[in-house]
Amino acid sequence: MKTQSTAIGLLLNWRLHLIVIIVSVLSEWIGIQSIPVANAKLLFLPLFYSFILCLFVNPNITKFSNKIINKKNASIAAPIIVIAILPFIAKFGTLIGPALPKIAQAGSAMVFQELGNLGTMLIAMPIAVLVFKMRREAIGATYSIAREPNIALISDRYGLKSSEGIGVMGVYVMGTMFGTIYFAILAGFLATTGWFDPRALAMACGVGSGSMTAACSGSLATAFPTMKDELLAFAGASNLLTNATGLYVAIFIALPFSEWFYKKLSGEATSKMNKGAN
Amino acid sequence: MNANIENSIEAKVEEVHLSFRESLVVLAVVSIVCLASNWAGTGINPIKALPAMLIIYGMIFVGLLLTKYVRIGFPAVAWVSLISVLLTIPVSPVSAAILSELKNLNFLSIVTPVLAYAAMAITKMEVDLFKRSGFKIAVISILVFTGTYVGSALVANALL
């Protein structure tokens, strides 16, 4: 692993942290809001506002924000996220610990919902291949939820410059930009429909990254305040399990299946058709 | 596809890795940010929430140490999570004490700054990729996210 040392001064750039503090405090003050939609509700959490507000002061997105913070100082936020998520992970663990006996009771549901991830491909792959006429990018884009371990696997198998690599990076970028918010909205919405056991929705929250899990289970906890601790614990445990087993599900089940499924859908005869990007 | 995208993808993969010391310094700053956010969200002042934050800091410190010295491919998130789970399982002697302090730290309030950093971290390459093939990828991504979430929820729902 390459360790590129970063000047501490850059990491401590006060502008970046000050922006984050101001935006977080504002967002927390606005607090949780909801809009009724038919029989369900759309929940809006402070973490949405902080994300959206910061998009406006990101110098890569809006021009005027260059005056507030330059691109170099903004880019240092990337390695900071990795650290910033840890307090949340630690807090999450303290919700899982006390609930461990309850989680053990849900054992088989917990383990097998990991395989529910494969549902991804059944819907997304046909649309990608048949409707959007995507080539092998479709494999990268739809074989998984495209988080870091999934990128690592694609990069290992095909290389990131390959069509598969472009596919996985595309969904990764979307996930980074909007995935967290989308999961929170989706979970909050499904919660209010009453179609699922709240604990099932909580376990499903664990499928993605730490921040996706956080936002998603936060929505659920807001929708079911009386079950708050239990739901957060289930989501956290599921995410822990995903971290532990996700890569193996991807290597041994998801990726081979998506190769096979892609060939079926596209009628591709040879498995190596490079440069199929356009 | 465009060579531009490919180059920038490579640049993206060559991410900056923080050293152990840098991580601890960043963590201290992030802790202050979290205390401010927690204060605004819950009204619990930073002095009252400080013990909780220190406990969290301690857990992460040990987690980062383990990540550095026990190289079995476990990422920091997994170590930190494992430590905090083990410290708070019902049989743990420190469980009650930790839990009563950590009540002062709201779980959603410490996520709010993470999303702020995430939005600040979006790069030119990501904005470009979004502009260029945004629509197709956006639709596919939504299908991927929905499929994964609903798939897992259905399986869990059936087995509960």
Side-chain angles (χ1 to χ4, degrees):
Chain A
M1 200 179 285
K2 213 180 287 181
T3 308
Q4 189 184 338
S5 196
T6 324
I8 293 268
L10 197 54
L11 289 170
L12 294 180
N13 181 276
W14 60 272
R15 280 171 189 265
L16 174 65
H17 299 292
L18 189 65
I19 290 171
V20 170
I21 289 188
I22 292 172
V23 165
S24 302
V25 167
L26 275 178
S27 308
E28 288 290 331
W29 274 340
I30 300 170
I32 298 164
Q33 308 290 338
S34 66
I35 297 179
V37 178
N39 293 325
K41 265 194 233 162
L42 279 181
L43 287 173
F44 295 93
L45 308 177
L47 54 104
F48 299 5
Y49 321 142
S50 70
F51 184 79
I52 292 164
L53 287 172
C54 275
L55 288 181
F56 284 106
V57 286
N58 181 324
N60 291 302
I61 298 170
T62 54
K63 285 223 173 71
F64 74 90
S65 41
N66 243 321
K67 287 181 189 138
I68 305 171
I69 184 167
N70 64 32
K71 288 183 184 176
K72 192 175 176 209
N73 284 329
S75 72
I76 205 67
I80 291 178
I81 304 171
V82 183
I83 301 296
I85 192 71
L86 293 176
F88 158 76
I89 297 285
K91 167 81 183 172
F92 226 171
T94 66
L95 300 169
I96 302 172
L100 214 56
K102 260 189 187 161
I103 291 167
Q105 280 172 13
S108 65
M110 185 64 87
V111 172
F112 286 103
Q113 56 89 22
E114 287 289 318
L115 299 176
N117 301 358
L118 301 174
T120 309
M121 238 179 296
L122 298 178
I123 312 170
M125 175 86 90
I127 306 271
V129 176
L130 302 175
V131 179
F132 289 136
K133 309 283 177 214
M134 284 168 82
R135 308 292 285 267
R136 292 184 63 87
E137 301 97 298
I139 294 177
T142 67
Y143 95 101
S144 75
I145 192 159
R147 297 331 294 163
E148 287 80 359
N150 307 118
I151 296 181
L153 176 60
I154 288 287
S155 129
D156 185 55
R157 284 285 160 85
Y158 310 95
L160 280 179
K161 286 186 171 188
S162 65
S163 304
E164 294 87 343
I166 303 224
V168 78
M169 283 309 292
V171 178
Y172 175 75
V173 168
M174 287 292 159
T176 311
M177 292 172 82
F178 305 112
T180 313
I181 287 178
Y182 182 70
F183 268 95
I185 295 176
L186 182 64
F189 184 77
L190 288 176
T192 50
T193 60
W195 296 337
F196 292 93
D197 185 323
R199 290 171 301 160
L201 292 176
M203 279 189 248
C205 283
V207 294
S209 64
S211 52
M212 286 176 183
T213 309
C216 178
S217 52
S219 266
L220 290 179
T222 311
F224 304 102
T226 53
M227 297 175 75
K228 184 180 169 212
D229 288 349
E230 193 182 354
L231 294 178
L232 296 180
F234 270 78
S238 163
N239 191 236
L240 191 59
L241 197 66
T242 301
N243 274 325
T245 65
L247 188 59
Y248 301 101
V249 173
I251 292 174
F252 295 111
I253 306 175
L255 195 52
F257 179 73
S258 79
E259 278 278 355
W260 175 85
F261 196 35
Y262 173 75
K263 276 171 204 157
K264 285 277 163 212
L265 287 171
S266 65
E268 185 189 271
T270 53
S271 66
K272 279 287 164 199
M273 254 179 67
N274 293 326
K275 303 287 165 208
N278 261 321
Chain B
M1 257 212 178
N2 197 309
N4 239 337
I5 295 191
E6 291 172 0
N7 289 338
S8 36
I9 285 177
E10 263 204 328
K12 160 96 191 159
V13 172
E14 234 178 82
E15 272 181 3
V16 184
H17 287 283
L18 299 186
S19 72
F20 183 67
R21 260 191 59 221
E22 286 165 344
S23 300
L24 291 181
V25 173
V26 170
L27 185 59
V29 177
V30 167
S31 300
I32 296 168
V33 177
C34 284
L35 286 173
S37 172
N38 189 56
W39 192 10
T42 62
I44 297 171
N45 71 54
I47 302 190
K48 199 176 171 207
L50 188 64
M53 204 67 236
L54 288 176
I55 294 173
I56 298 263
Y57 193 96
M59 289 172 173
I60 299 171
F61 178 79
V62 178
L64 290 174
L65 265 183
L66 288 168
T67 314
K68 192 177 174 197
Y69 292 108
V70 187
R71 294 177 173 272
I72 53 171
F74 248 47
V77 279
W79 281 120
V80 170
S81 173
L82 196 66
I83 291 162
S84 69
V85 169
L86 288 179
L87 286 176
T88 54
I89 49 175
V91 295
S92 155
V94 289
S95 174
I98 290 181
L99 292 176
S100 78
E101 280 300 335
L102 283 185
K103 275 203 191 97
N104 292 327
L105 217 47
N106 180 264
F107 132 100
L108 274 181
S109 298
I110 58 179
V111 182
T112 305
V114 179
L115 273 277
Y117 284 115
M120 293 305 290
I122 290 170
T123 60
K124 191 90 185 50
M125 169 253 161
E126 289 166 332
V127 176
D128 287 347
L129 189 71
F130 180 68
K131 279 185 188 154
R132 204 161 313 168
S133 40
F135 175 69
K136 268 190 199 175
I137 294 185
V139 173
I140 296 297
S141 301
I142 285 180
L143 290 173
V144 166
F145 300 149
T146 314
T148 308
Y149 187 77
V150 175
S152 287
L154 281 174
V155 174
N157 205 48
L159 293 174
L160 268 175

